[in-house]
Amino acid sequence: MNDEYVTEIDKEIGKVTRYSDMYPQPGNFSNVYEKGTKYYAIKDVSTDEAIAVEDGSGKYKKAVREKEYTYGNEDSPADKSSDMTATLLILSAITIFLIIFVLKKIKR
């Protein structure tokens, strides 16, 4: 986001579907604007370059696209959580295998 306001608004192209100032989220996520905040195309500007975000006062702030947003980089808590789940599943499987192996040896 920058401090530039735009007035040449085109059609509505979406809205914020998730808000979090703590962690990245998938989808139409914002860490600035509330869920439901609408965003619009700017006349004669590609949406790959910039969009306009309704700021709640009837004005539209220009949001310039600097790079593609990718949810799920290695620093996200969601990925760390799924890594931990996978590790626990592997450790559980190894533990179960060892228990079965020991029980079979004892029965002999």
Side-chain angles (χ1 to χ4, degrees), residues 25-91:
Q25 302 284 320
N28 298 328
F29 148 78
S30 176
N31 61 353
V32 176
Y33 293 101
E34 296 178 6
K35 181 178 176 180
T37 300
K38 295 178 182 178
Y39 38 90
Y40 300 82
I42 302 170
K43 285 186 182 177
D44 301 323
V45 176
S46 167
T47 55
D48 290 333
E49 182 183 329
I51 61 171
V53 180
E54 191 173 35
D55 75 354
S57 70
K59 294 182 179 179
Y60 302 91
K61 268 194 164 179
K62 186 176 187 179
V64 177
R65 184 176 187 169
E66 294 176 354
K67 63 180 181 176
E68 183 176 355
Y69 173 70
T70 55
Y71 172 73
N73 62 34
E74 66 267 2
D75 295 328
S76 85
D79 280 356
K80 289 178 184 174
S81 174
S82 62
D83 288 348
M84 179 69 87
T85 301
T87 302
L88 288 173
L89 286 172
I90 291 168
L91 288 174

Side-chain angles (χ1 to χ4, degrees), residues 93-108:
I94 292 170
T95 303
I96 291 169
F97 174 79
L98 288 174
I99 290 171
I100 291 170
F101 179 79
V102 169
L103 287 174
K104 284 187 175 185
K105 286 288 187 184
I106 292 173
K107 287 184 180 181
R108 288 187 187 174

Side-chain angles (χ1 to χ4, degrees), residues 6-23:
V6 292
T7 57
E8 298 291 320
I9 303 303
D10 205 352
K11 64 183 176 184
E12 180 181 329
I13 57 172
K15 64 182 177 180
V16 174
T17 57
R18 293 181 180 191
Y19 169 84
S20 174
D21 61 356
M22 299 295 289
Y23 303 111

